[in-house]
Amino acid sequence: MTDYQPKNKSFERYIQIGYEFASGKELSQAEMALLEKISDIDTSIIKIDDILDHEERRNDHACIYLIDGIDKTIINARLDEINGVQALTDLIAFRKCFPLFSYEILKVFNNNYMRGIYEGQKIDKELEEAKEIRPDMIDRYFLMTRKFTGGHIRYGLEIGQLLAGKVPDKDVSAIAEAMGINRQIVDDFEDYFKAHHYPQGDIKRGAKRLPEILFTLQGGNREAVLKLISEKDFAGVITVVLNPDVRKALYRYCEENEAYCKGIDTTFECSSISTHIGQILDRMPESDPLPTTI
C-alpha cells in the first residue's frame, strides 16, 4: 500500500481522523488492522488513474500496468476495490454498528465517494482531451478536484464519524472539501519537481491541470515548454511555467480556502488534513534538482 499512497494521504487515515474527532477515542489495534486493509481502495484508484493518465513512473518504479498489462491491471484493481470494501464491511461488523449507521456508511462510500472518484476522473479526461485551454476550464478543474481529492478526504472523515455512531458534521465536510482542493493544487504544483512520482508528466501529456491552465491563459506557450523538456532543461520548465504570476494565483486560491476554513467555528483541527501551501511561493528548482532524464 505504501508504494501507492502515503499513509498521511490514505483513505484509512481520514477515516481514523474522523473517528477520533467524533468519539474522542482511538481505534483498537484490531480495528486499525482492518482499517489498513480498507486502503486497498486507494491502490485500486491509483492503478486505474495511472492507466487513464498514461503515467510511466510512480515512486521511482514503472507503473504496474506497464509490467502486468492493462487488462490484468484493471482486473486486479477491481479486486483491490472489492477487498477494500470487504475490509470496510468487516470493520462495520467488528464494531457492531447500529444498522442505520451501517447503511449510511455503505451509502456514503458507494453513492458519494466512489461516484465522485469516477466523475472526477471523467472530468479530468475531458480536460485532457480538450483541443485548447479556455477560461471556463478553471471551474471544471475545481469541480474535478472537489469530487476527486475533496471527496477522498471528506468521505473518509464522514465514514469515520459514522463508525463512531455520530452523524457527520457538515462543517467538517466543508473544510475537508476545501483542504482537498488545496491538496490537489499543491500536488499539481509538485508535478514539476523531482519529488513527485513522475515529474512534469502533466504538462507533457496535456493534462491541463491548474498550473498549465493559468500559464496558458496568461499568454504562455506550451510548445516552448515542451522544447525545454526535450532539451532536458527541467529547471527552465519550472521557471517558465511556475512564473511569479502563476505562483501568486495558485497561492491565492489556496489561501482563500484556508481563510474559509479558519472562518468556520468548529473544534475540528484543520491542521490534521492541511497541506503546506507556502512552498508554492518559495520552492525553487535549485533546491530540488531534477533528474537528467525523464
Side-chain angles (χ1 to χ4, degrees):
M1 171 47 219
T2 53
D3 289 339
Y4 292 93
Q5 183 79 289
K7 286 284 186 182
N8 66 329
K9 294 182 179 180
S10 66
F11 199 49
E12 67 181 87
R13 175 59 179 156
Y14 297 126
I15 293 174
Q16 180 184 5
I17 292 171
Y19 175 84
E20 291 177 356
F21 166 72
S23 69
K25 302 176 182 178
E26 295 184 357
L27 291 163
S28 69
Q29 190 171 7
E31 289 168 332
M32 286 299 296
L34 289 171
L35 187 60
E36 185 173 358
K37 294 178 183 177
I38 291 174
S39 278
D40 278 356
I41 294 162
D42 287 337
T43 302
S44 169
I45 292 167
I46 291 172
K47 284 179 178 178
I48 297 298
D49 219 32
D50 283 345
I51 294 173
L52 293 175
D53 292 347
H54 309 293
E55 294 282 19
E56 296 178 15
R57 309 286 296 179
R58 181 170 290 277
N59 300 331
D60 292 327
H61 298 285
C63 290
I64 293 297
Y65 78 93
L66 294 175
I67 299 171
D68 294 343
I70 291 177
D71 293 348
K72 186 177 178 180
T73 300
I74 290 173
I75 292 169
N76 287 333
R78 294 292 290 138
L79 287 172
D80 288 331
E81 182 182 324
I82 291 167
N83 290 336
V85 175
Q86 181 178 339
L88 179 60
T89 56
D90 287 346
L91 183 55
I92 290 170
F94 186 87
R95 288 195 52 78
K96 298 182 173 60
C97 293
F98 188 70
L100 177 60
F101 284 95
S102 300
Y103 167 75
E104 286 297 323
I105 289 169
L106 295 176
K107 188 170 77 171
V108 166
F109 174 78
N110 186 69
N111 296 7
N112 299 338
Y113 175 56
M114 291 307 298
R115 179 186 294 276
I117 289 295
Y118 289 117
E119 287 179 347
Q121 286 178 326
K122 181 180 178 182
I123 295 170
D124 195 27
K125 201 65 181 174
E126 290 171 355
L127 288 172
E128 182 180 339
E129 292 175 348
K131 301 299 182 184
E132 60 181 6
I133 289 178
R134 308 178 306 273
D136 65 286
M137 284 183 173
I138 294 177
D139 289 337
R140 294 296 289 169
Y141 171 88
F142 283 123
L143 178 59
M144 180 270 291
T145 58
R146 184 173 292 108
K147 286 178 175 291
F148 195 95
T149 318
H152 188 245
I153 300 176
R154 172 181 176 173
Y155 298 121
L157 293 176
E158 289 189 2
I159 288 172
Q161 292 170 79
L162 287 165
L163 282 169
K166 300 291 180 65
V167 175
D169 186 307
K170 292 182 179 179
D171 286 337
V172 172
S173 295
I175 289 170
E177 284 196 350
M179 291 295 96
I181 291 171
N182 278 11
R183 196 185 99 184
Q184 188 62 59
I185 290 174
V186 170
D187 187 63
D188 292 336
F189 168 84
E190 289 180 334
D191 181 75
Y192 290 83
F193 294 85
K194 181 180 178 181
H196 196 271
H197 59 82
Y198 184 47
Q200 301 180 2
D202 287 346
I203 196 164
K204 285 181 69 176
R205 65 184 174 86
K208 302 176 187 67
R209 296 295 177 86
L210 192 57
E212 183 183 357
I213 294 173
L214 294 172
F215 167 72
T216 304
L217 292 177
Q218 291 174 5
N221 186 336
R222 179 171 179 270
E223 294 305 315
V225 174
L226 294 180
K227 185 173 185 293
L228 289 172
I229 294 176
S230 69
E231 294 171 350
K232 297 182 171 49
D233 184 4
F234 305 120
V237 174
I238 294 172
T239 301
V240 171
V241 179
L242 301 178
N243 60 63
D245 289 338
V246 168
R247 286 177 183 258
K248 288 176 185 176
L250 293 171
Y251 185 80
R252 184 173 64 251
Y253 284 122
C254 292
E255 192 176 37
E256 288 172 355
N257 283 332
E258 286 199 345
Y260 166 75
C261 293
K262 289 176 181 177
I264 296 176
D265 185 15
T266 179
T267 59
F268 181 75
E269 185 54 64
C270 297
S271 62
S272 64
I273 60 170
S274 65
T275 303
H276 173 49
I277 67 172
Q279 64 174 303
I280 293 174
L281 297 178
D282 301 334
R283 188 172 179 179
M284 297 298 169
E286 58 269 18
S287 64
D288 187 20
L290 283 142
T292 56
T293 59
I294 289 185

